[in-house]
């Protein structure tokens, strides 16, 4: 069942890429849409088969592969990976459907079959990384993303695309090297029989060794997220990339970093993770404040949205380090809601750039004008800004609220600083909306092409989903609640908190108290 999510897009990419030369671009696009549509429908079917009560892996697949290397084809899905798989396949369909619509009529999408093939490869690679239960298998899929994204930035990017693509390539290559080094060291030092996640236990390693290995993975995944100060590749890559590529970079690829923090850093090093959380809380607060303040200073609306992503990923880190069930389920929910909102923002910015010809805040004005402007796109941009600012009734609100509520007791000062960052997010989106949507249009230039119904459809669908998940938040958090609760319950910090809140046990009953009389449980 799970293999279909990986190999269907890979096979589809091969079919689309090697179509005969006389096949038109429109037919290649229809074929790619059909493949991504089937993937989304299959994901919905898996959602209906998923047991919400079971915290562990479900629908597992296992096939021995290169056993001398400890590499096995081991797949499984739980409440941490399933929401991200659904997000990936949804945004894949949005990107393929809208790729031709985002291209100006005077400059249609060049090399469309290669573009659709790369998007499908990215979809398969993301699914493989999220479903892999073998460390080497995860790394292989993790690195599969590198070349397709490099090509998409360098071929379909804007003026400085070569510089942005090389920078992205170098940073993400370093990320992969650090993660691979950590994985190899874990396997070697623990004398594990394979790289299977279930076969590895780091409990026998010294605390110093665990700290070194954990630091390698934090830096590696921190580059992919990215966290400050590992973020410098992000503005260039997001801004120079085409709109579809930016949607995949921010909405999909960045989630591999936060997923890695939860799955491997917290999952493999629960004791040592609690030691580094005070320092990471500072990184989370700095990332949030830096991202929001940098966004405030931008004149390019696409660059403003790019910097806002840094701030919102800081919320995910805060929820991950708080080690409470509420905060961690909020972090997973924030991954999904951020992916949806960022995809919507980038899509709308792309439409505005295509129709108006600029992204400059000093030039854009009055787009909400119902006759000569872009009224529907402007209205959707207002809703997207509200979602990003965490306004109640949007998916972003419930995610941020859960993170703040769950992390305040553990890290009150960083949490309050992140709340300030949320307020600043509202400020720069008010500036963006005030400049772009309101005011008077220039009578000489403001006769913009109409936005067709097909061009509006992806944005309307994303907006509807963001509002639905905000009004019905149980549909956002229900998938990951059991898994995140089990992950947190396995940490010594959470056990200590629970023991501290439990009734005092009389000395005569100590021997019968399971968590005290048996230290091996810890």
């Amino acid at each position: 069942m799970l293999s279909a999510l990986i190999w269907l897009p890979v096979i589809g990419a091969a079919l689309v890429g090697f179509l005969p030369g006389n096949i038109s671009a429109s037919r290649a696009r229809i074929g790619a849409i059909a493949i991504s549509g089937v993937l989304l429908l299959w994901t919905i079917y898996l959602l209906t088969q998923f047991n919400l009560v079971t915290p562990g892996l479900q629908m597992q697949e296992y096939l021995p592969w290169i056993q001398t290397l400890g590499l096995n084809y081991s797949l499984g899905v739980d409440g941490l990976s399933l929401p991200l798989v659904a997000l990936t396949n949804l945004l894949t369909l949005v990107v393929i459907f809208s790729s031709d619509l985002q291209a100006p009529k005077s400059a249609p999408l060049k090399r469309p079959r290669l573009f659709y093939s790369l998007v499908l490869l990215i979809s398969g690679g993301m699914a493989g990384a999220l479903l892999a239960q073998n460390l080497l298998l995860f790394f292989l899929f993790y690195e599969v993303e590198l070349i397709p994204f490099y090509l998409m930035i360098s071929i379909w990017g804007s003026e400085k695309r070569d510089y942005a693509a090389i920078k992205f390539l170098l940073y993400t290559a370093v990320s992969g090297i650090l993660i691979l080094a950590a994985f190899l060291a874990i396997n070697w030092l623990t004398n594990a029989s394979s790289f299977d996640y279930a076969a590895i236990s780091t409990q026998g390693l010294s605390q110093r060794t665990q700290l070194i290995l954990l630091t390698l993975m934090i830096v590696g995944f921190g580059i992919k997220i990215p966290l400050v100060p590992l973020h410098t590749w992000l503005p260039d890559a997001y801004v120079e990339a085409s709109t579809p590529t930016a949607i995949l970079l921010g909405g999909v690829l960045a989630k591999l970093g936060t997923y890695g923090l939860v799955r491997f850093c917290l999952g493999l090093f629960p004791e040592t993770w609690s030691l580094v959380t005070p320092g990471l809380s500072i990184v989370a607060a700095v990332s949030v404040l830096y991202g929001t303040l940098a966004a405030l200073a931008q004149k390019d609306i696409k660059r403003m949205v790019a910097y806002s992503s840094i701030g919102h990923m800081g919320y995910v880190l805060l929820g991950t380090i708080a080690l409470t069930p509420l905060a961690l389920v909020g972090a997973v929910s924030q991954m999904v809601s951020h992916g949806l909102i960022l995809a919507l923002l980038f899509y709308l910015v792309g439409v505005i750039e295509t129709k108006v010809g600029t992204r400059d805040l000093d030039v854009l004005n009055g787009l909400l004008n119902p006759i000569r402007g872009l009224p529907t796109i402007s209205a959707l941009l207002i809703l997207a800004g509200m979602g990003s600012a965490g306004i109640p009734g949007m998916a972003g609100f419930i995610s941020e609220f859960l993170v703040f509520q769950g992390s305040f007791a553990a890290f009150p000062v960083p949490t309050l600083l992140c709340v300030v960052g949320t307020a600043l997010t509202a400020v720069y989106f008010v500036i963006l909306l005030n400049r772009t949507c309101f005011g008077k249009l220039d009578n000489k230039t403001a006769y913009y092409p109409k936005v067709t119904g097909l061009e509006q459809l992806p944005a309307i669908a994303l907006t509807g989903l963001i509002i639905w998940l905000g009004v019905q938040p149980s549909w956002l958090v229900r998938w990951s609640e059991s898994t995140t609760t089990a992950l947190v319950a396995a940490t010594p910090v959470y056990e200590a908190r629970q023991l501290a809140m439990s009734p005092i046990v009389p000395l005569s009953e100590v021997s019968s108290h399971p968590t005290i009389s048996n230290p091996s449980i810890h």
Side-chain angles (χ1 to χ4, degrees):
M1 295 178 71
L2 299 182
S3 292
L5 297 172
I6 302 172
W7 301 112
L8 178 59
V10 172
I11 295 172
L15 292 176
V16 172
F18 293 101
L19 283 173
N22 57 352
I23 299 296
S24 65
S26 61
R27 290 188 178 181
R29 175 172 173 266
I30 292 173
I33 290 175
I35 294 168
S36 58
V38 170
L39 280 172
L40 183 58
L41 291 176
W42 185 249
T43 305
I44 294 172
Y45 171 74
L46 294 180
L47 288 171
T48 63
Q49 301 301 305
F50 187 76
N51 188 341
L52 299 176
V53 180
T54 303
L57 295 173
Q58 302 179 41
M59 311 175 200
Q60 296 185 64
E61 299 179 15
Y62 185 85
L63 181 66
W65 191 4
I66 309 176
Q67 293 183 303
T68 55
L69 296 179
L71 174 60
N72 297 307
Y73 183 77
S74 178
L75 304 179
V77 67
D78 61 6
L80 175 59
S81 54
L82 185 60
L84 298 179
V85 170
L87 174 68
T88 299
N89 290 329
L90 172 63
L91 295 188
T92 299
L93 178 59
V94 168
V95 163
I96 294 176
F97 180 83
S98 62
S99 58
D100 190 57
L101 303 176
Q102 287 279 355
K105 299 302 180 184
S106 58
L109 181 68
K110 59 181 180 180
R111 304 174 73 176
R113 291 187 297 172
L114 176 60
F115 178 85
Y116 300 137
S117 297
L118 293 176
V119 173
L120 290 172
L121 281 177
I122 289 171
S123 175
M126 275 294 301
L130 294 171
L131 300 174
Q133 300 303 317
N134 180 283
L135 271 62
L136 275 186
L137 187 65
F138 168 84
F139 173 76
L140 292 177
F141 284 117
Y142 186 85
E143 289 297 283
V144 161
E145 310 292 322
L146 185 61
I147 299 303
F149 270 113
Y150 169 78
L151 293 175
M152 290 179 70
I153 296 172
S154 61
I155 296 176
W156 292 279
S158 53
E159 183 179 355
K160 299 180 180 179
R161 59 183 180 271
D162 292 333
Y163 169 77
I166 290 294
K167 196 171 184 179
F168 166 81
L169 183 66
L170 293 175
Y171 269 79
T172 49
V174 172
S175 170
I177 291 171
L178 293 175
I179 292 169
L180 178 60
F183 286 173
L184 293 175
I186 290 171
N187 177 267
W188 179 58
L189 294 172
T190 60
N191 294 315
S193 58
S194 72
F195 283 90
D196 289 344
Y197 188 87
I200 293 177
S201 174
T202 61
Q203 298 302 311
L205 301 178
S206 67
Q207 190 175 91
R208 179 181 179 182
T209 301
Q210 290 190 42
L211 187 59
I212 293 173
L213 297 175
L214 179 59
T215 302
L216 288 175
M217 289 201 292
I218 290 174
V219 175
F221 289 122
I223 292 173
K224 188 78 79 173
I225 294 176
L227 300 173
V228 175
L230 308 171
H231 67 285
T232 54
W233 66 268
L234 180 144
D236 294 312
Y238 283 26
V239 173
E240 298 304 324
S242 64
T243 297
T245 306
I247 290 174
L248 292 176
L249 280 170
V252 173
L253 184 68
K255 307 307 177 290
L256 271 185
T258 50
Y259 170 82
L261 287 182
V262 180
R263 175 70 73 197
F264 300 106
C265 296
L266 172 58
L268 293 177
F269 300 95
E271 295 182 2
T272 310
W273 179 254
S274 62
L275 297 179
V276 302
T277 52
L280 290 177
S281 69
I282 298 174
V283 174
V286 170
S287 295
V288 170
L289 293 177
Y290 173 84
T292 53
L293 292 174
L296 273 169
Q298 303 307 312
K299 295 294 184 182
D300 183 330
I301 58 176
K302 191 175 184 181
R303 187 172 288 272
M304 180 182 288
V305 172
Y307 274 108
S308 74
S309 178
I310 298 175
H312 283 83
M313 296 306 283
Y315 301 143
V316 179
L317 178 61
L318 180 66
T320 303
I321 63 177
L323 296 180
T324 64
L326 196 63
L328 190 56
V329 75
V332 178
S333 302
Q334 175 67 8
M335 295 183 208
V336 177
S337 61
H338 171 264
L340 295 173
I341 294 170
L342 190 70
L344 176 60
L345 286 168
F346 274 134
Y347 183 84
L348 295 172
V349 169
V351 173
I352 291 173
E353 183 181 12
T354 300
K355 301 298 181 180
V356 182
T358 184
R359 304 191 305 253
D360 193 342
L361 275 179
D362 293 333
V363 177
L364 293 169
N365 208 13
L367 296 183
L368 199 57
N369 187 296
I371 300 176
R372 295 182 293 121
L374 307 174
T376 305
I377 295 300
S378 298
L380 293 173
L381 184 62
I382 293 172
L383 291 174
M386 293 169 62
S388 186
I391 300 300
M394 300 285 191
F397 167 76
I398 187 62
S399 304
E400 293 176 16
F401 179 80
L402 290 173
V403 169
F404 297 152
Q405 182 74 11
S407 62
F408 181 78
F411 301 107
V413 174
T415 301
L416 290 175
L417 292 176
C418 290
V419 172
V420 172
T422 300
L424 292 175
T425 301
V427 171
Y428 65 72
F429 271 110
V430 166
I431 294 174
L432 185 152
L433 297 173
N434 183 55
R435 298 274 186 88
T436 59
C437 299
F438 301 98
K440 294 182 179 180
L441 286 169
D442 187 336
N443 290 328
K444 295 181 179 179
T445 61
Y447 290 92
Y448 304 131
K450 296 297 181 182
V451 182
T452 65
L454 283 178
E455 290 173 320
Q456 296 173 10
L457 183 59
I460 292 174
L462 289 172
T463 304
L465 186 56
I466 291 167
I467 295 175
W468 169 253
L469 294 178
V471 175
Q472 295 288 343
S474 64
W475 282 86
L476 181 60
V477 303
R478 62 191 300 190
W479 311 103
S480 53
E481 190 171 3
S482 296
T483 299
T484 52
T485 300
L487 279 170
V488 173
T491 61
V493 170
Y494 183 75
E495 291 182 354
R497 290 173 184 166
Q498 294 299 100
L499 186 60
M501 292 186 294
S502 63
I504 297 176
V505 180
L507 186 60
S508 60
E509 300 180 16
V510 166
S511 60
S512 63
H513 195 286
T515 58
I516 295 178
S517 61
N518 186 8
S520 65
I521 292 179
H522 302 285

